[in-house]
Amino acid sequence: MAVISALTVAAAGAAHAQQKTDVIFSAGPTGGSWTPMAAAASQVVNKRYPELNVQVEPGAALVNMEKIRNDKADIGWSMTTVMSDAQKGEGQFAGKQTDKGLFVANFYPNVWQLVVPANSEIKSVKDLKGQPVALPSRGNTSLAAGWEYLLKVNGMTLNDLGAKSYGPVSSNAEAVKNRQAMAVGWFTVVPASFIMDMGSAMPVRVLGVTKEEIAALQKLNPGFVPYTLKAGIYKDQGVTEAVQTFQSPTVLIASSKTSADVIYKITKAIVEEREEFGNVTSVMKGVTAAEMAENFGMPMHPGAEKYFREAGLLKK
């Protein structure tokens, strides 16, 4: 009986050890950097903490916040502009205010890049009136906080554009290459793969954003930050001078309902294994732990806060 009892206890212990905690990671649309970044994050976490089972699902910044608001995801990529709107119940979250989406870690600049063929007469956003445009899918932040906000500060709406097609960044770029559209604009990393792709078929122009436009954007949402595309970034694609634009930092957020222990482990894994992300996108090469702890004044998840305090990365 003692042997049987021992075997029973051992079997129960083994079964308990094999139990995993599922973590739903809502990532990004196809063709962007968020999906491969999420895959890298899941591998890092699952390897260091095998008791966690991080599962990556498609998403987008607005979609991810909405999924967390409705308890359909544990973690996801987002942007400072989306966090600001969600916390205040403004913009796309008017009437849907939520404090469930909490900061976990800062990753990299998410830069607005609006591109047109270099041989076109389009030199500003206002020149896009009546022009066919390839737009991000509905519900994507690049549409809501990029296109719609930028049009708004120029006294325009989507209705002022010509024929519109909606889809992922890869199909948007193809539409311009095939001359079915005259512009494509997204929040993404620098250098952007879609610009490299377009530039292999034709010289392109990146439309700049004036200081006045940026000031107006910041009035709409304080999450916007000025950003300058350095001269030479897209030299081979036909862009030779520096371009003033804006960005909304890419951040990892987590649901307030996801346990502090789980988020502590995720934060520890992604910060201490951050070099892995440099293999996915060059913009993450050389990023420091201190930079990942920069929360831009956004409320932090208790699990992330615990790790950053232990690591001596929080000043207060």
Side-chain angles (χ1 to χ4, degrees):
M1 291 295 293
V3 173
I4 295 175
S5 297
L7 290 173
T8 301
V9 171
H16 178 73
Q18 291 174 356
Q19 289 181 351
K20 290 179 178 283
T21 299
D22 290 335
V23 179
I24 303 301
F25 191 152
S26 193
T30 57
S33 61
W34 280 8
T35 297
M37 285 282 288
S42 70
Q43 290 170 8
V44 163
V45 174
N46 291 342
K47 182 177 180 180
R48 182 174 280 212
Y49 297 105
E51 67 271 23
L52 300 182
N53 180 31
V54 180
Q55 303 176 41
V56 178
E57 295 182 351
L62 287 172
V63 173
N64 297 346
M65 183 64 78
E66 187 68 10
K67 286 168 75 172
I68 284 178
R69 187 177 79 90
N70 290 301
D71 302 327
K72 293 182 179 179
D74 295 289
I75 59 176
W77 298 124
S78 193
M79 295 157 61
T80 52
T81 48
V82 174
M83 288 193 72
S84 177
D85 277 348
Q87 290 285 331
K88 296 177 181 178
E90 296 177 350
Q92 294 293 310
F93 287 89
K96 298 188 293 182
Q97 184 275 337
T98 180
D99 55 7
K100 286 184 181 178
L102 300 176
F103 175 91
V104 173
N106 174 41
F107 273 71
Y108 53 80
N110 206 32
V111 182
W112 175 252
Q113 297 169 78
L114 177 53
V115 186
V116 301
N119 63 1
S120 74
E121 295 299 317
I122 302 169
K123 305 291 179 63
S124 70
V125 172
K126 290 182 179 179
D127 292 334
L128 289 171
K129 187 171 184 178
Q131 295 285 347
V133 175
L135 298 170
S137 301
R138 293 177 178 83
N140 192 289
T141 307
S142 290
L143 179 65
W147 277 102
E148 292 185 9
Y149 276 19
L150 190 55
L151 288 169
K152 185 174 183 178
V153 300
N154 280 280
M156 300 168 65
T157 70
L158 291 174
N159 292 331
D160 291 304
L161 303 175
K164 294 174 282 293
S165 58
Y166 297 83
V169 64
S170 54
S171 65
N172 282 183
E174 282 298 316
V176 176
K177 285 166 62 177
N178 296 331
R179 294 292 180 164
Q180 296 170 321
M182 291 300 291
V184 52
W186 282 75
F187 279 112
T188 189
V189 298
V190 176
S193 58
F194 83 90
I195 296 180
M196 311 286 273
D197 177 39
M198 290 173 60
S200 67
M202 67 176 79
V204 301
R205 174 185 300 124
V206 179
L207 299 188
V209 182
T210 67
K211 291 181 179 179
E212 292 74 19
E213 287 174 314
I214 293 174
L217 286 167
Q218 289 176 321
K219 286 185 178 180
L220 291 176
N221 189 308
F224 289 120
V225 178
Y227 188 94
T228 300
L229 291 168
K230 296 179 180 179
I233 289 289
Y234 297 121
K235 178 181 62 177
D236 294 339
Q237 291 72 43
V239 183
T240 58
E241 298 180 352
V243 179
Q244 177 67 57
T245 183
F246 59 97
Q247 64 120 338
S248 176
T250 293
V251 294
L252 182 65
I253 62 173
S255 170
S256 59
K257 290 195 171 184
T258 302
S259 80
D261 178 63
V262 167
I263 300 305
Y264 170 86
K265 291 175 179 177
I266 290 173
T267 308
K268 183 178 177 67
I270 62 176
V271 173
E272 295 181 1
E273 302 288 340
R274 60 189 178 278
E275 290 184 3
E276 291 294 323
F277 301 110
N279 298 323
V280 178
T281 175
S282 60
V283 75
M284 283 296 290
K285 290 182 178 178
V287 69
T288 67
E291 288 170 334
M292 295 189 77
E294 176 57 59
N295 68 332
F296 306 99
M298 302 295 173
M300 187 175 288
H301 195 286
E305 182 178 358
K306 178 183 177 183
Y307 170 74
F308 287 130
R309 288 200 183 283
E310 284 184 2
L313 296 170
L314 293 184
K315 296 179 181 179
K316 295 181 180 180

